[in-house]
């Protein structure tokens, strides 16, 4: 196995462990080219409060806390967290689509 492939496999395993430990179903995972675990809790995963709870569970395991982020676009912002899990940087987010989440 090449070092690049081994690094990608380790990243995918760490992401799977994080998702499993948080019990976060339906989370979308994207491995980044720089070794970051990127997790999205999509809008179809429940109400804003339910999605925020999933982000919080994932964030707790990554040693961070979620916070709102306002950005222009099709959403009214994001609930966003950055942390570290199993030696990998982690980015977790979910869209906020309602005016008063």
């Amino acid at each position: 196995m090449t070092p690049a492939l081994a690094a990608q496999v380790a990243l995918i395993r760490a992401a799977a462990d994080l998702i499993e430990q948080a019990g976060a179903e339906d989370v979308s995972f994207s491995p980044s080219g720089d070794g970051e675990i990127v997790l999205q809790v999509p809008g179809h995963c429940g109400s804003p409060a339910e999605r925020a709870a999933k982000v919080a569970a994932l964030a707790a395991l990554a040693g961070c806390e979620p916070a709102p982020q306002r950005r222009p676009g099709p959403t009214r912002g994001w609930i966003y967290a950055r942390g570290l899990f199993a030696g990998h940087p982690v980015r977790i987010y979910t869209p906020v689509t309602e005016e008063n989440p």
Side-chain angles (χ1 to χ4, degrees):
M1 183 178 317
T2 67
L5 180 57
Q8 187 173 18
V9 168
L11 182 71
I12 292 168
R13 285 187 178 136
D17 288 344
L18 176 57
I19 292 166
E20 182 179 32
Q21 288 179 33
E25 296 177 14
D26 297 329
V27 171
S28 297
F29 162 64
S30 300
S32 72
D34 60 356
E36 182 178 45
I37 296 170
V38 181
L39 300 173
Q40 179 185 13
V41 180
H44 71 268
C45 287
S47 69
E50 291 168 328
R51 293 192 323 272
K54 284 186 182 187
V55 171
L58 290 160
L61 290 167
C64 59
E65 291 188 26
Q69 251 189 2
R70 303 287 179 222
R71 291 192 176 168
T75 68
R76 300 205 181 265
W78 301 89
I79 298 172
Y80 186 83
R82 289 192 93 113
L84 193 67
F85 183 81
H88 299 279
V90 178
R91 182 171 20 131
I92 309 156
Y93 63 97
T94 193
V96 177
T97 54
E98 296 178 7
E99 199 154 330
N100 296 311

